[in-house]
Amino acid sequence: MKLPSCSCSAFKCGKKDRWLNMERPIPFLLIGLTTILSLFILYTLNPLKFVTEHDIDQKLLLIKPHKEEDKCDLFNGNWVPDFEGSIYTNSSCATIPISKNCFRNGRKDKDFLNWRWKPEKCDLPRFDATAYLDIVRGKTLAFIGDSVARNHIESLLCLLSQKEVPVDAYLDSEDRNRIWHFPVHNFTLKMLWTKFLVHGEERVINGSSSGIFDLYLDKVDENWARDLHNLDYVVISDAHWFFRQIYLHRGSNVVACVYCNEANITDRGVAFALRMAFRAAFSQINHCNKCKGIVTLLRTFSPSHFEHGFWNTGGSCNRTSPYNDQKINFGAHEWEIRSMQVEEIERAEKRGKKGKSFGVLDVTMAMLMRPDGHPGAFWGNQWMKGYNDCVHWCLPGPIDVWNDLLLAVLRRLD
């Protein structure tokens, strides 16, 4: 607290006044002691005077995690410097897979960890494992999607393991479907792998896999759908497998394709195929009669950042700091896909059956700004040397903000 300066006019510091003070010391001492006592009370009984405005905001967020904050758009903002670094390290988290353990694989720069996501009109609190585990106590949460969904769950495991180390309860032969259990909180976490959300079959040509897929829009992938009625929370995502030659079937008819060049079939593009797949998935959830109280969150498109080529033509991602929002191209296909996903989750919510809740975990803007967060050359692959991973994310790394956002969204629903 800055005290006002003492001017002579205010305190009448003339000779006569000084002489009177000398002659009557008791009132002077009383005034002095009263002033000191007042200052002591002011500072000791109001400890907020000693903390910064940011600290006050954080305290208020812990006390009131969702009131005023509910009105804030968590997904529109910028990355700002933050030297607290990550909550965990590649040493303190034992579950980081080799392909995401960028420091173990030789990455030297660490500045990419010194940034936090700052929504325009509020602060996003750092992940709190205690708060998260309290919300999901006795519940089951599944991530439904591809390897980027797996990347998300790997980040969550690292964050939660700082509070409680999970039991590895199930692993399939391909290490795609996984189950972890947190016995202290009776919380179950699942990874339900799917390439397309709907049923897909790869064409075999001359006895070899072709990389061409047939997708059946009226039949969802049973790998995730069969387990739906056992889930309390779902985080669903998908996209990267759709960037290939695909034929879309409805019933016995081929209704569209992606990356094809055939006279009688319309190439509707990646966004259309994704839209149809998400629509089928949300319809399955909405019509699941045994799915009482299920909460479905769509995690929007996570962009790649290949430069100077694609994954198979020498593309790389060597940047070491974020972009700002001026670098985002809102006309690019990444934003088109994100916008389509938001439209479909809103459509599902409007058509939602009683007891079903839908929401969005909109990470696209934040991640478009993070070309520095990918493994790049540091993904430890011994069989594909010379290829860079600019799709997945280092652990620790910018992907951890997905779980800051997930916790914030769950608090609003709680």
Side-chain angles (χ1 to χ4, degrees), residues 378-414:
F378 305 107
W379 63 303
N381 194 297
Q382 301 299 313
W383 297 275
M384 295 181 67
K385 289 186 176 181
Y387 292 88
N388 294 296
D389 183 358
C390 303
V391 173
H392 302 96
W393 304 91
C394 292
L395 295 173
I399 193 174
D400 294 324
V401 79
W402 296 9
N403 290 306
D404 296 343
L405 292 167
L406 176 58
L407 175 55
V409 170
L410 291 178
R411 275 174 158 162
R412 291 180 176 186
L413 296 171
D414 191 32

Side-chain angles (χ1 to χ4, degrees), residues 125-179:
R126 285 165 68 86
F127 189 85
D128 182 339
T130 300
Y132 181 94
L133 288 168
D134 282 344
I135 290 172
V136 298
R137 185 185 297 272
K139 306 291 186 180
T140 298
L141 184 152
F143 285 75
I144 297 172
D146 57 17
S147 59
V148 181
R150 175 67 176 268
N151 202 174
H152 188 177
I153 210 172
E154 289 159 353
S155 165
L156 181 59
L157 284 167
C158 284
L159 292 163
L160 293 178
S161 67
Q162 308 307 299
K163 175 67 177 178
E164 182 185 351
V165 178
V167 174
D168 205 339
Y170 175 76
L171 165 66
D172 73 4
S173 59
E174 295 181 322
D175 191 17
R176 287 186 166 178
N177 297 289
R178 298 285 301 267
I179 301 175

Side-chain angles (χ1 to χ4, degrees), residues 102-120:
C102 301
F103 294 128
R104 175 180 171 177
N105 293 325
R107 183 165 182 170
K108 302 299 182 186
D109 67 293
K110 295 184 178 181
D111 286 346
F112 73 100
L113 298 179
N114 296 326
W115 299 86
R116 67 179 176 88
W117 179 247
K118 173 68 174 67
E120 277 193 2

Side-chain angles (χ1 to χ4, degrees), residues 47-95:
L48 291 180
K49 294 291 182 181
F50 289 96
V51 299
T52 66
E53 183 179 349
H54 176 73
D55 292 331
I56 295 172
D57 289 342
Q58 290 297 307
K59 289 177 184 293
L60 291 175
L61 285 174
L62 291 175
I63 297 167
K64 299 184 296 181
H66 53 273
K67 288 294 181 184
E68 294 82 0
E69 291 300 303
D70 281 359
K71 302 173 185 177
C72 174
D73 181 359
L74 298 170
F75 312 120
N76 184 21
N78 264 296
W79 293 91
V80 298
D82 178 18
F83 296 99
E84 289 189 48
S86 177
I87 291 174
Y88 66 93
T89 68
N90 67 321
S91 299
S92 68
C93 179
T95 56

Side-chain angles (χ1 to χ4, degrees), residues 344-359:
E344 286 304 309
I345 196 73
E346 289 174 349
R347 180 180 185 274
E349 184 179 23
K350 289 176 183 177
R351 294 169 176 247
K353 305 293 184 180
K354 186 176 181 181
K356 310 288 198 318
S357 299
F358 294 86

